[in-house]
Amino acid sequence: MTRKWVYLFDELDQASSYVGGKWDNVRGLLGGKGANLAEMTRIGLPVPPGFTVTTEACNAYLDAGMAFPEDMWQQELAALAEVEKKTGKKFGDPGNPLLVSCRSGAKFSMPGMMDTVLNIGLNEETVQSMIKSTGDARFVYDSYRRLIQMFGSVVMGVPDEPFEEVITEVRKKRRVKSDAELTAEDWMSIGERFRDIFRRYNRIDFPTDPLEQLRLATEAVFKSWNGKRAIDYRNAAKIAHDLGTAVNIQTMVFGNMGNDSATGVAMTRNATTGEKRIEGDYLINAQGEDVVAGIRATDPVEKMAQTMPASWEQFVEITRILEKHYRNMQDVEFTVERGKLWMLQTRDGKRTAQASVRIAVEMVDEGLISSEEAVMRVTPEQVDFFLHPQFNPHSKKAAGAEGRLLASGLNVSPGAAVGMVAFDADLAEAWAKKEGKKVVMVRPETKPDDVHGMLAAEGILTSRGGRTSHAALVARQFGKPAVVGVAALEIDMSQRLMIVKEQVIEEGDWISIDGSTGEVFLGRLDTMVPDISDPWLKRLLVMADSFRRLGVWANADYPDDAKRAREYGAGGIGLCRTEHMFFQSERLSFVQKMIMTNQPTERREALDALLPFQREDFIGLFRAMHGLPVIIRLIDPPLHEFLPNYESLMTGLADNKIRLLRAANLHEIDELLRKIEDDEHVLGRVQDLHEANPMLGLRGVRLGIMMPDLTQMQVRAIFEAACQCTKEGIDVHPEVMIPLTSHVNELKVQREALEEVARQVLEEQGVVIDYKFGTMIEIPRAALTADEIAGHAQFFSFGTNDLTQTTFGISRDDAEKGFLIDYIQSGILPDNPFETIDRNGVAQLMAIGVERGRKTRPGLEVGICGEHGGDPKSIAICHELGLNYVSCSPFRVPIARLAAAQAALRERMTDG
Ligand code: ADP
Ligand code: MG
Ligand code: MG
């Protein structure tokens, strides 16, 4: 028996049992559009009858070198006969003709990727009978010319322009502005000229045999799977290339049969903000593509409440049913034909990060989904996008006052973008990728072949199009700020400039767009990172907190960072890098003095001068983290990093020597000589400290051992700060972290020396404090000997940057500009190991570290403070390894909270 290639919309059960009952597989077989049309049919919603040719048929067709698989066409004809029975019409019948649309639909929605042909079945004869049955010649001739045009461009590849030119010409001749004013005769003559165009381009006549039309359209959909636009989109959206597309053949319904007919698209909730209110556009007396193309100005869909109240009421009820059924916000297409509502499509709606969060939370409140589902539905990337830059309100106000607010449009994808205007996708991509420029891509409207430019741009601006335009959908999907439909922009592509409010803006000029408000500004506005005050995000994260097992701490060096971290929900500081404090200008000179001198007393003096600074830093940190642990890492980098670099010293020296030759007076000579002497002294020390491999050199605990008074000063500062805070009533939990241990003895001697200082301070101050001494595990040897090390460490923190570097033997600083990128692109490495923890290598060392460490010291606190702590995939690994917490940058804390919860929930799902 041959395979079943075709399923009627009411044969969902058969399709489902063929693929084993899983909805995901049904979508794979019938495509998203087909599966949902069948599902809507099944639950009794009004869907025009039709059938789906499967993705398997598409793949078979493509594999066979463009030949229909055996029996497919016969099955298509049989299904067509069923549809004829249901509708009481006959395909190609001059008496009562059935017209159909041919619609592509892959497993994942690919907006605008593969085109639809409407009105299939029209020819000279059926046109006449349609005119008789509808009494509307204008409508029929308009439909007919649309078929020729769509068939020409979609199936046969005739460009749109010659068709559009004809319409424009007729409009001019008839002295009318809009298509709506053209008459039946106009459309009839336009149709004839369209057929001439068709003949000219294809050297064949427009096929008047409806079955021939259907066959060619089916084939065209199959072929479009491998069109360039489709391939580009799949690459960008990471969709597999072997899924194939289904073809949906569906009875036509007409929104253009007079004022009791309409067509529209809608989201069941607001796709930008998530507010629970139907949002959409519709047009009275029009066909579907009129709304999407943005050719005619649409009305907001809720206006239907006045213009066609009965249909509106039914529509609202259907959206409610759909949301309840799919338990998600839906994106729907509908048509009203002479007062009768038909549903033409539904799918889960694309939405902004903001909307995604709000909808998930509100659906929990409405009882549609569980809080576990809500947490699983929002991606960590969306939370990241949520916290993307916004314009600084002051900068915005100032720009407004200076008259730099150019125009406003639709705020379809939030976020602030600043960039240079680029008027086409190729240029946008070239500027962004090759020249590292920031660009805002500006177009009248975007098309699928613009996607590469949109991805490269900071933001997208269009003068036409609505909330459901291509630009809006793509921008939302990829999290790019976008403003569309800015009618005030006059874009002149030939001169490559745009005019707004009499201002001329050329390609390369800077503009700023606010995708959250729809405003467009001239010049560069300042951006800032938003606070986390969104009430729905807060609630979602609180839900996440109830599921996660991992703690989420933050890497913070300054009190301000610590405050932000806490505000974002951090449960502690997992890493405070003390050396950052050294780089501040008033301190650096003491640091340099300390490094330069060989005299113990001079070094003491320099360190004594630094101590109060460090103490103040820690006091700020402890105050911000009242009640929570704060891990402070002692100095880590090699000392030469605090001195001027060798090259600049050499050139400075050379300059001064030349100036010495030309010195005008003794005073100047004196001055220069002194400078030269100083520089030579520094240069000497820089040369002393020079190492061939500084990453593997005198740093971390080695430095503490070789220069004990430096780390002793730091520990004194920590404990003096802790004592002072305790006296103020602040609850402090300092944890002193010794970096780069590779042998237990290093840790042992360093800890003994340091803990001695701690005890001294506590004794001096008469204060009792809960503190810990621990170490970073960032050298493979430390992980392997974790049992020994745990004997002297009260906590571990994986420094996965260094651990990755030392495990791979790859220098992080060099590799990422060199071969590592090649490795990733060519698939030698699956991921960048500096971004995502290397599961098979580095993670194994971590597992050993955890296991052996806890064998010696059960309950040992283990965390991670490398860059990976904020990466969702790595967070999942940390969860599996049973770490106590991950520590990441304050901005990534919310992302990590969600990722940690998702790791826990995923584990539950696989266990249960
Ligand atoms: P896309 O994936 O680009 O949205 P669709 O297949 O959904 O393509 O169709 C394009 C337009 O044609 C939509 O507005 C849709 O509602 C309309 N359309 C498709 N099939 C029919 C039909 N049988 N009757 C009326 N309108 C239709
Ligand atoms: Mg559609
Ligand atoms: Mg390190």
Side-chain angles (χ1 to χ4, degrees), residues 145 149 158-174 179 182 187 189-190 193-194 197 200-201:
R145 70 88 193 174
Q149 184 173 359
V158 182
D160 250 348
E161 285 76 23
F163 293 120
E164 291 300 333
E165 271 162 25
V166 169
I167 300 183
T168 313
E169 196 190 304
V170 174
R171 268 202 312 246
K172 253 197 208 139
K173 206 159 69 201
R174 302 262 296 105
D179 290 358
L182 295 176
W187 288 121
S189 72
I190 288 171
R193 292 179 60 186
F194 276 14
I197 295 172
R200 202 163 69 235
Y201 272 86

Side-chain angles (χ1 to χ4, degrees), residues 135-372:
D136 189 345
R138 184 187 180 284
F139 149 69
V140 177
Y141 281 118
D142 182 23
S143 301
Y144 190 29
R145 70 88 193 174
R146 283 174 198 262
L147 171 64
I148 303 165
Q149 184 173 359
M150 277 187 275
F151 200 88
S153 67
V154 177
V155 181
M156 310 299 287
V158 182
D160 250 348
E161 285 76 23
F163 293 120
E164 291 300 333
E165 271 162 25
V166 169
I167 300 183
T168 313
E169 196 190 304
V170 174
R171 268 202 312 246
K172 253 197 208 139
K173 206 159 69 201
R174 302 262 296 105
R175 294 171 197 278
V176 297
K177 281 214 187 83
S178 74
D179 290 358
E181 293 166 83
L182 295 176
T183 63
E185 290 73 44
D186 293 331
W187 288 121
M188 190 174 83
S189 72
I190 288 171
E192 268 160 30
R193 292 179 60 186
F194 276 14
R195 279 194 293 168
D196 292 341
I197 295 172
F198 189 97
R199 196 175 304 119
R200 202 163 69 235
Y201 272 86
N202 299 308
R203 299 179 185 285
I204 52 162
D205 280 329
F206 174 73
T208 50
D209 174 6
L211 285 177
E212 179 72 358
Q213 293 172 1
L214 185 64
R215 196 181 57 77
L216 287 169
T218 305
E219 261 190 280
V221 171
F222 284 167
K223 281 184 198 150
S224 74
W225 178 255
N226 280 338
K228 183 182 177 322
R229 305 187 322 185
I231 291 173
D232 283 353
Y233 187 90
R234 290 199 295 272
N235 283 336
K238 300 206 166 74
I239 295 175
H241 292 291
D242 60 358
L243 298 173
T245 177
V247 184
N248 302 289
I249 307 296
Q250 185 174 29
T251 307
M252 282 301 300
V253 289
F254 298 98
N256 51 346
M257 286 186 109
N259 287 336
D260 57 353
S261 302
T263 184
V265 295
M267 302 275 185
T268 54
R269 301 185 188 218
N270 186 304
T272 310
T273 64
E275 190 190 349
K276 190 177 184 214
R277 225 166 83 186
I278 298 173
E279 186 205 26
D281 309 289
Y282 88 117
L283 273 173
I284 288 193
N285 198 9
Q287 260 192 335
E289 76 272 20
D290 296 345
V291 176
V292 190
I295 309 168
R296 278 168 60 185
T298 56
D299 278 322
V301 69
E302 61 272 19
K303 222 179 131 186
M304 276 173 72
Q306 280 114 55
T307 56
M308 32 184 72
S311 298
W312 172 247
E313 217 169 278
Q314 193 190 353
F315 180 67
V316 172
E317 176 59 13
I318 286 176
T319 61
R320 204 191 52 76
I321 294 171
L322 284 173
E323 278 208 344
K324 196 158 171 222
H325 183 74
Y326 286 101
R327 303 159 72 245
N328 209 336
M329 167 230 202
Q330 295 295 297
D331 174 352
V332 300
E333 292 173 6
F334 66 92
T335 282
V336 179
E337 180 184 299
R338 293 193 164 154
K340 162 110 181 95
L341 175 66
W342 293 99
M343 297 306 293
L344 291 171
Q345 192 172 334
T346 193
R347 60 182 172 203
D348 291 350
K350 297 233 155 71
R351 64 205 80 174
T352 63
Q354 277 84 343
S356 177
V357 169
R358 178 166 172 180
I359 290 170
V361 170
E362 290 192 339
M363 284 195 162
V364 174
D365 293 343
E366 293 162 27
L368 286 177
I369 61 175
S370 66
S371 52
E372 284 89 339

Side-chain angles (χ1 to χ4, degrees), residues 458-480:
E458 300 294 311
I460 297 136
L461 172 64
T462 71
S463 58
R464 292 206 290 260
R467 290 193 182 281
T468 45
S469 61
H470 177 263
L473 290 178
V474 174
R476 251 178 250 146
Q477 182 176 12
F478 295 105
K480 295 277 175 191

